[in-house]
Amino acid sequence: MTGEAIPGPDGRLRCPWGLSTEDYVAYHDEEWGRPVHGDDALFERLCLEAFQSGLSWITILRRREGFRRAFSDFEIASVARFGAADRERLLADEGIIRNRAKIDATMANAKVLAEWAPGELDALIWSHAPDPKTRPAPLTTVDVPAVTDESTALSKALKKRGLRFIGPTTAYALMQACGLVDDHLKDCVSRGAV
C-alpha cells in the first residue's frame, strides 16, 4: 500500500512527506501537528499558509526566516502599522514570496486583527478544533483530507470577521500545522506526541 509510514535513517517510522527532504525531518518531528497558541504565533502560521497557497510548503519553510525578518516576526501590532513604503519593500524582498495579493492580504489582515481583543484570534481558531475522538488516525496519506467541515467553518468565520486569503484548504493546512488535528499517520513516531 502506498502512502504508509516509512522508516527514516534512524529506523523510526514517519509520514512519507516528513522524509522527502532533509529540511522536512525536524519540521515533521518537532513542529507540525504540535499545538500552537498565541495571537502572533497563529498570525504567522495563517500568513505562511496563505503564502504557501499554490506552492510547495518546502518553498515557504526554506524562506520562513526571511518572512519573519520582513514581517517584524509577525507581530500583529507592528504589521498593522505597515504602509505603502513597507509594501514596496516587501515586493522587492527576495527573501520572501513576492506576491502582491498575498502581501496585501497579510497587511490587511494585520490591520483587522489589531482591532481584536488579546486572545481573540487564538480562541476563534481553536474553537474549530474537532473532537479528536471522532477522527481515526489516518493509515496512509490517502486518508488525510484536504478540506473538512471544520476547516470550511473556520474559513467562513475568519472571512466573516474581515480576514482575506483564507479558504477552506488553507484553513485545514493551518489546523494541521497548529495541532488542531493530528494527521500524522497511525504508525508515525510523531502520532499523538502531544
Side-chain angles (χ1 to χ4, degrees):
M1 188 180 296
T2 60
E4 295 176 333
I6 57 175
D10 58 4
R12 299 186 309 162
L13 295 175
R14 290 182 176 82
C15 302
W17 68 266
L19 294 167
S20 61
T21 177
E22 192 174 312
D23 294 326
Y24 272 152
V25 177
Y27 178 71
H28 170 274
D29 289 0
E30 300 166 15
E31 189 173 345
W32 191 77
R34 308 285 175 123
V36 174
H37 285 282
D39 292 341
D40 290 340
L42 287 166
F43 175 61
E44 174 182 357
R45 300 330 189 279
L46 185 69
C47 294
L48 293 178
E49 293 296 347
F51 273 99
Q52 185 272 328
S53 181
L55 302 171
S56 166
W57 176 248
I58 196 66
T59 302
I60 303 304
L61 189 60
R62 289 177 175 160
R63 288 186 166 101
R64 185 162 55 173
E65 291 309 315
F67 275 106
R68 287 174 173 163
R69 281 190 298 276
F71 285 99
S72 301
D73 287 323
F74 291 98
E75 183 182 271
I76 293 168
S78 295
V79 180
R81 292 190 295 270
F82 281 15
D86 294 293
R87 182 175 187 260
E88 293 309 309
R89 171 183 58 79
L90 293 165
L91 287 169
D93 190 332
E94 294 181 6
I96 67 169
I97 304 301
R98 296 174 292 172
N99 179 296
R100 184 179 307 273
K102 294 174 183 181
I103 289 170
D104 288 348
T106 299
M107 292 172 57
N109 289 347
K111 288 179 186 358
V112 169
L113 292 170
E115 301 298 318
W116 292 20
E120 195 170 350
L121 177 61
D122 189 302
L124 176 63
I125 288 174
W126 277 90
S127 72
H128 290 82
D131 180 349
K133 294 178 193 139
T134 65
R135 296 181 50 87
L139 299 176
T140 72
T141 54
V142 174
D143 300 324
V144 179
V147 174
T148 63
D149 291 343
E150 293 89 359
S151 73
T152 300
L154 175 57
S155 171
K156 287 179 182 176
L158 291 168
K159 286 179 179 180
K160 185 176 181 181
R161 299 287 307 273
L163 294 171
R164 298 171 20 193
F165 230 100
I166 178 77
T169 303
T170 300
Y172 193 67
L174 174 75
M175 294 171 78
Q176 291 174 305
C178 295
L180 279 76
V181 296
D182 183 356
D183 276 344
H184 286 285
L185 300 182
K186 184 176 188 278
D187 294 330
C188 176
V189 67
S190 294
R191 175 79 192 174
V194 178

